[in-house]
Amino acid sequence: TFTITAYAAYEVYEAGDTTIDLGGGLRWFDTDTSITLTGPSPVTRSLADDWIDPVLMARVQTRFADRWVGTLIADYGGIESNRETSQLIATVGYELTDRWILRGGYRYFDVNNRIDGVDYGFKQSGPVFGATFNF
């Protein structure tokens, strides 16, 4: 499973060290999944699909120390009744320079789709690590 999400956002609120952005974008999703049920007569089922959905997002950022920033991002994507994705990401970042931020946090990702007449869905959650380059 592979996803890429791209956003364009607009700052709608700023107060002190806190900002709120609203935006949208696209999420590309590609999966090639196989499941095998073992036993006397093993059965394997494979599903493969890729799609692009529009995504709406909101982001809250706040600076809580000289070089430390917290970020919360929530998004929702999907325009068809049988397909939707959503995620929630919370990170803490350390500003190395004016342009580079190292981040670590937690991500929850939920996917639901219908592929070839079969309901396909999963939830993933766990730690995330990354870097941001501001240009």
Side-chain angles (χ1 to χ4, degrees):
T1 300
F2 187 77
T3 63
I4 295 176
T5 304
Y7 305 118
Y10 180 77
E11 185 178 288
V12 296
Y13 176 82
E14 179 182 5
D17 290 333
T18 302
T19 61
I20 298 175
D21 304 324
L22 297 177
L26 297 172
R27 176 175 292 126
W28 174 58
F29 193 91
D30 184 34
T31 187
D32 188 358
T33 303
S34 293
I35 296 173
T36 301
L37 301 175
T38 60
S41 301
V43 176
T44 298
R45 175 73 174 164
S46 296
L47 296 171
D49 198 7
D50 67 283
W51 66 90
I52 297 174
D53 279 330
V55 177
L56 297 175
M57 64 83 72
R59 175 177 58 199
V60 177
Q61 295 187 99
T62 190
R63 177 174 307 282
F64 53 88
D66 183 41
R67 292 187 163 268
W68 292 91
V69 61
T71 303
L72 179 65
I73 299 172
D75 74 26
Y76 175 82
I79 57 173
E80 295 183 17
S81 62
N82 63 341
R83 186 170 73 205
E84 64 184 1
T85 60
S86 60
Q87 70 177 336
L88 182 63
I89 304 170
T91 64
V92 173
Y94 180 77
E95 295 176 339
L96 295 173
T97 68
D98 289 342
R99 295 189 179 263
W100 284 99
I101 303 172
L102 292 181
R103 297 181 185 273
Y106 189 82
R107 176 183 183 218
Y108 174 82
F109 189 50
D110 188 6
V111 175
N112 292 292
N113 194 359
R114 189 159 183 87
I115 301 172
D116 297 331
V118 176
D119 288 334
Y120 170 82
F122 67 88
K123 296 170 178 40
Q124 287 180 328
S125 60
V128 293
F129 302 98
T132 300
F133 179 76
N134 294 307
F135 54 93

